[in-house]
Amino acid sequence: RDRRESIATRIRERKRDRVVTDPEQILCAACDGRIDTLFVDQNAELFGSFYHDTKTMKELDHAPAGDPADPSHDLIELALAQTLLHQGQVFAVETSNMPVDAKMAAALRY
């Protein structure tokens, strides 16, 4: 809990340049293994496609239909999974406990 609060304060105060809240930047960092700690709003939704080769994201205004040919995903889940895959730490919190007003916020390793 102390570590979570310490990282939340770092994000809130935007200490250092290694804090990001932009979903596209977070997805890039997560897939590259650069996220130390990721906060996600457990009530938020973000659907779309992320293209790692071009480091771009396309957001949808609705959930994917489930068609296997559809490249759309839950992008928050993708960021969360990639962060864990690369040994980062994830905190899924209520909206009121997010360190900033965003769907996701990340403290980067580098």
Side-chain angles (χ1 to χ4, degrees):
R1 180 181 172 128
D2 290 341
R3 176 163 165 67
R4 181 182 75 194
E5 290 305 315
S6 172
I7 298 295
T9 299
R10 177 176 152 199
I11 290 171
R12 200 174 298 113
E13 295 175 357
R14 308 246 185 211
K15 290 186 177 177
R16 300 185 221 157
D17 293 330
R18 296 184 294 177
V19 172
V20 292
T21 58
D22 176 70
E24 191 170 71
Q25 291 178 347
I26 288 173
L27 287 163
C28 288
C31 290
D32 290 343
R34 294 186 295 123
I35 294 182
D36 176 64
T37 306
L38 177 67
F39 280 82
V40 297
D41 179 341
Q42 65 188 22
N43 301 311
E45 294 181 334
L46 181 62
F47 302 109
S49 303
F50 177 69
Y51 306 96
H52 190 259
D53 56 337
T54 59
K55 300 200 183 303
T56 57
M57 179 187 93
K58 179 181 177 188
E59 187 174 350
L60 294 176
D61 59 357
H62 60 280
D67 179 357
D70 184 0
S72 301
H73 302 284
D74 178 334
L75 297 176
I76 293 174
E77 186 176 290
L78 176 62
L80 186 150
Q82 286 295 316
T83 298
L84 292 173
L85 181 68
H86 292 96
Q87 309 303 313
Q89 188 170 26
V90 175
F91 294 109
V93 298
E94 292 286 335
T95 305
S96 61
N97 291 328
M98 283 293 291
V100 292
D101 184 22
K103 295 177 182 185
M104 298 184 284
L108 304 180
R109 291 182 175 127
Y110 58 92

